[in-house]
Amino acid sequence: MPLLRWLRRRRRARLRAQPFPAPWCEALSRNVALYRVLPPDDQRELEGHVQVLLAEKSFEGCGGLTLTDEITVTIAGCAALLLLHRDTDYYPGLRSILVYPSTYFAPAQTHLGGGVVLEGTQARLGESWHRGAVVLAWDDVLRGAADMHDGRNVVLHELAHQLDQQDGWADGAPELPHRAMYRPWARVLSREFEAHTRAVDAGRPTLIDPYGALNPAEFFAVVTEAFFEKPKQLRARHPDLYEQLQAFYRQDPAALRDAVDRADPA
């Protein structure tokens, strides 16, 4: 096993060191707004992660979609945002990324109580499976990646689920780099989830997507979206939550936005 890990690290280092194709850089610059505001060093790191993800993950077009480099590079670029500055194993449970052209329909069950289950289909924009796959709708990927202020990015959402599931459970508690981080994480995330659920149940407006009130796993996914897309608002209104996410992702997107705003006040 140590030899296999060493060989894997060596292969990934070679992939990251390869020249990044100009058309791929153009696709990231055109489609991924968060890539455009990264410092140059972070852009280079992200590009290296993109090369590894494209080499190791299987992308499959579904529903008649023909995959292009623009599609795969855009998705990998969004996924790589969650890996910056971290000791990463590149979503080890993820093998396949299935991409539909737009909203797709999947089997769904609705429990009506009394043992009655209604079976049908449900329209979806993305989902993350325990068994090694993420499903995405390309038009929603593109829409979310292009707008870094709306708090919605389906790739960030579904790949946050992959991080959450690395320990085998989708419970809003991903593997943390240090044991000492688990207690404050549990305290803050539990408190924030409960407060968010109360606000949603009461019909009060929330910065965090109301969908996060469904369960702790969805809460972690939507606050990840908010952390990267609405970082200044999240820092101001949920400072303890922002601090926990900052420690986990090892990034400070609010400070980055502050710098961007100072450089371009308009």
Side-chain angles (χ1 to χ4, degrees), residues 129-196:
W129 300 346
H130 280 286
R131 296 178 180 176
V134 159
V135 189
L136 302 166
W138 167 238
D139 62 350
D140 196 60
V141 169
L142 197 56
R143 184 165 48 246
D147 187 345
M148 65 178 184
H149 302 289
D150 65 353
R152 299 183 62 84
N153 185 308
V154 68
V155 181
L156 297 184
H157 185 105
E158 302 305 340
L159 272 296
H161 281 315
Q162 286 291 314
L163 294 177
D164 186 11
Q165 295 163 358
Q166 278 185 211
D167 61 357
W169 304 94
D171 56 5
E175 291 184 350
L176 303 176
H178 304 293
R179 181 176 298 180
M181 295 174 63
Y182 281 93
R183 182 171 295 178
W185 177 276
R187 182 179 67 250
V188 172
L189 270 290
S190 296
R191 185 184 69 225
E192 293 279 352
F193 171 66
E194 292 169 2
H196 181 64

Side-chain angles (χ1 to χ4, degrees), residues 11 32 54 58 63 107 109 113 125 134 156 169-170 182-183 198 203 253:
R11 184 185 69 250
V32 184
L54 293 179
S58 172
Q109 292 183 340
L125 297 172
V134 159
L156 297 184
W169 304 94
Y182 281 93
R183 182 171 295 178
R198 289 194 300 269

